[in-house]
Amino acid sequence: MGAQKKDNRKKNRRHVICMASDFFYPNTGGVEEHIYNLSQCLIKRGHKVVIITHSYGQRKGIRYLTSGLKVYYLPIRVFYAQCVLPTMICNISLIRYILIRECVEIVHGHSAFSVLCHEVSIIGKLMGLKTVFTDHSLFGFADTSAVLTNKYLQMCLCECDHCICVSHTGKENTVLRAKVKAHKVSVIPNAVDAYNFTPDPSKRDPNVITIVIVSRLVYRKGVDLMAAVIADMCPRYPQLRFIIGGDGPKMWLLQEVREQKGFQHCVTLLGSLKHSEVRNVLVKGDIFLNTSLTEAYCMAIVEAASCGLKVVSTRVGGIPEVLPEKMIYLTEPNVTCLVQGIEKAMKDIEHGNILCPYVCNSMIRKMYSWMDITRRTEIVYNKISMNKDKPLGLQLRNYLTCGVWPFLLVISLMYLLLKLTEKIYKRKHIDIAKDLKL
């Protein structure tokens, strides 16, 4: 009986987790929302969570969000695409101080494109902490940028205790490109707060069919396909209306199509949206269109389905895993197939062959819950907390498997700098077990 109680205490133990990523609020996107919602649910379940990210404009230092979520906005400048410069050694003292100050025991990094995520994870591992990495995206194998990114990811994940992917397709992609052992990768999808994304059919215009698009306007989101579909369908269907929310470097293409073709009356460009404004845009639509060229898991289509919209999406990456067939029309990533998918959805709407919006919301509520995602993530935390610490020699041997010998020098230099920092700024003797009330 006593042994069983002790085992239950280990399973339900309280963890101190550090979420690390270049992508966090006030920036908006799927990664940012995932980190925030997961952190909030972990706090509700009794864990302590802090977040490390870089500064955003004047937002520097320590900020507190809902439920006392503590965010460190480090005074590091952005180098490219919201990511910091990968120096690996310049921020060691600051990151080490935060990890010790907060008594962190698990470092959870997010996004393969985040430099700060990998930097904090490697420093944490050299300090004897457990590390988890969540991959939110798919990446190719052919072009130069993909080869370099994959090799960098392979180097950084050599010593990672466990990886999480948001879809089974994403797991296969990560195992192949980062050469992570399959048993060290779990699939835990994203989720959506279906109570915030509720339907409201009264907001729809019954005289027209409204297609809503909410997306970052970048190449991989298929903006070229989006523009071609608008140019093809607007002249043939006068009752069709497009509402497009989002901003990005490809915005000019949609503006060009809208102005040159004279589609001002049927195409509305809303620009950048706050996440709190997305639901109010979605409820105005009958159909949600996603034209992504690559996607590990598309949060937008789940939010749209939760609001009761018919979803038309390209069949790429992990999207076929996200929604059941009766809630989505999957097409090939080309203009002809997308147009056919939209036309099929329009016919079903005209004949009333659609699910009730409130039924859709109820189904999404059962399929995707942040508390369920949090419980599954806790299982990963409990599992890796049992792993034994590895000596430096064994860590270097594992880094050697990536085939990049100079990286061993970088890791060795980071270790020496951590030891030097320990001499200069001595670690306070903190009784972690007592502090965590284990």
Side-chain angles (χ1 to χ4, degrees):
M1 191 73 176
Q4 187 178 358
K5 283 184 178 180
K6 190 175 181 181
D7 188 54
N8 288 335
R9 282 185 65 189
K10 283 184 179 180
K11 287 182 179 178
N12 300 323
R13 64 175 299 186
R14 180 176 182 257
H15 299 293
V16 181
I17 304 116
C18 172
M19 302 285 182
S21 181
D22 282 295
F23 310 108
F24 194 65
Y25 294 133
N27 196 39
T28 56
V31 178
E32 293 85 349
E33 186 184 347
H34 181 100
I35 296 172
Y36 177 79
N37 286 314
L38 179 60
S39 299
Q40 291 294 331
C41 290
L42 285 168
I43 290 172
K44 287 179 183 178
R45 290 183 63 81
H47 304 283
K48 177 182 175 181
V49 183
V50 297
I51 294 173
I52 294 180
T53 187
H54 60 70
S55 61
Y56 281 90
Q58 298 300 316
R59 187 174 296 219
K60 299 177 182 176
I62 299 173
R63 300 293 179 95
Y64 289 89
L65 304 183
T66 308
S67 302
L69 178 59
K70 193 174 185 179
V71 185
Y72 286 88
Y73 289 96
L74 304 186
I76 309 172
R77 289 187 178 182
V78 171
F79 174 64
Y80 176 74
Q82 292 297 334
C83 292
V84 301
L85 185 68
T87 62
M88 304 302 287
I89 59 173
C90 292
N91 307 307
I92 282 180
S93 179
L94 181 57
I95 292 171
R96 172 189 171 274
Y97 177 78
I98 293 171
L99 296 178
I100 293 174
R101 177 181 178 178
E102 299 296 338
C103 303
V104 172
E105 57 182 26
I106 298 173
V107 176
H108 191 162
H110 292 264
S111 182
F113 304 106
S114 172
V115 173
L116 189 61
C117 147
H118 300 305
E119 197 169 312
V120 176
S121 295
I122 291 173
I123 293 171
K125 197 63 186 176
L126 290 172
M127 291 174 62
L129 308 180
K130 305 297 184 288
T131 57
V132 182
F133 170 73
T134 297
D135 199 351
H136 294 263
S137 57
L138 299 178
F139 216 60
F141 301 88
D143 56 286
T144 306
S145 63
V147 172
L148 293 174
T149 303
N150 293 344
K151 181 55 72 172
Y152 177 68
L153 186 64
Q154 182 188 347
M155 293 188 298
C156 294
L157 296 186
C158 279
E159 272 298 293
C160 185
D161 288 288
H162 206 84
C163 293
I164 297 173
C165 294
V166 293
S167 66
H168 291 279
T169 304
K171 176 180 177 178
E172 292 176 8
N173 185 261
T174 300
V175 168
L176 288 172
R177 67 191 175 105
K179 297 184 180 178
V180 182
K181 294 179 181 177
H183 72 271
K184 292 178 63 177
V185 185
S186 299
V187 177
I188 304 177
N190 277 324
V192 63
D193 189 350
Y195 293 94
N196 286 336
F197 288 89
T198 53
D200 188 358
S202 65
K203 298 294 183 182
R204 297 176 181 176
D205 187 343
N207 301 316
V208 298
I209 293 179
T210 305
I211 298 176
V212 176
I213 301 170
V214 178
S215 169
R216 287 196 300 271
L217 302 182
V218 295
Y219 173 76
R220 77 176 186 88
K221 292 293 184 180
V223 182
D224 300 85
L225 291 176
M226 201 185 297
V229 168
I230 292 171
D232 181 272
M233 298 197 72
C234 283
R236 295 192 291 116
Y237 296 97
Q239 80 278 22
L240 209 56
R241 298 291 182 269
F242 284 86
I243 299 177
I244 303 172
D247 200 357
K250 283 279 189 177
M251 170 66 90
W252 66 270
L253 183 58
L254 297 177
Q255 291 173 336
E256 189 177 79
V257 170
R258 182 173 180 264
E259 293 170 8
Q260 288 185 356
K261 302 287 185 179
F263 294 155
Q264 288 87 347
H265 66 288
C266 59
V267 179
T268 304
L269 300 176
L270 301 177
S272 181
L273 295 173
K274 295 180 181 178
H275 191 257
S276 57
E277 300 171 340
V278 172
R279 183 259 176 187
N280 295 331
V281 175
L282 290 174
V283 294
K284 296 178 182 178
D286 302 286
I287 299 170
F288 182 84
L289 178 62
N290 174 54
T291 59
S292 293
L293 301 177
T294 176
E295 200 80 64
Y297 177 102
C298 187
M299 181 83 76
I301 66 174
V302 182
E303 293 172 347
S306 181
C307 290
L309 279 71
K310 270 292 194 184
V311 178
V312 179
S313 174
T314 49
R315 187 188 284 106
V316 295
I319 289 178
E321 304 174 29
V322 178
L323 294 174
E325 289 183 5
K326 55 187 174 182
M327 299 178 72
I328 187 171
Y329 299 90
L330 293 171
T331 74
E332 296 304 315
N334 59 65
V335 177
T336 304
C337 292
L338 281 167
V339 169
Q340 289 174 354
I342 295 171
E343 289 173 340
K344 187 177 179 182
M346 290 168 64
K347 286 179 182 177
D348 285 346
I349 290 171
E350 290 171 3
H351 296 117
N353 186 23
I354 56 174
L355 288 173
C356 171
Y358 297 100
V359 171
C360 292
N361 181 266
S362 178
M363 290 173 65
I364 294 296
R365 198 175 298 178
K366 292 175 183 177
M367 285 191 292
Y368 297 111
S369 163
W370 277 114
M371 289 306 293
D372 178 55
I373 302 307
T374 304
R375 282 190 288 268
R376 292 164 71 174
T377 306
E378 278 183 328
I379 295 172
V380 174
Y381 292 159
N382 293 334
K383 181 180 178 181
I384 66 169
S385 64
M386 307 299 290
N387 292 353
K388 295 181 180 179
D389 294 338
K390 295 180 182 178
L392 178 63
L394 188 55
Q395 289 188 44
L396 291 176
R397 190 181 302 171
N398 289 337
Y399 282 118
L400 189 61
T401 60
C402 69
V404 183
W405 287 56
F407 194 63
L408 292 179
L409 299 177
V410 175
I411 298 298
S412 302
L413 179 59
M414 293 175 73
Y415 180 79
L416 292 174
L417 288 174
L418 279 171
K419 289 298 181 183
L420 179 62
T421 309
E422 179 73 35
K423 294 289 184 182
I424 300 174
Y425 304 104
K426 293 186 181 297
R427 182 192 297 254
K428 293 181 180 178
H429 297 288
I430 302 173
D431 188 349
I432 298 178
K434 183 179 179 181
D435 182 67
L436 297 180
K437 298 179 182 179
L438 296 178

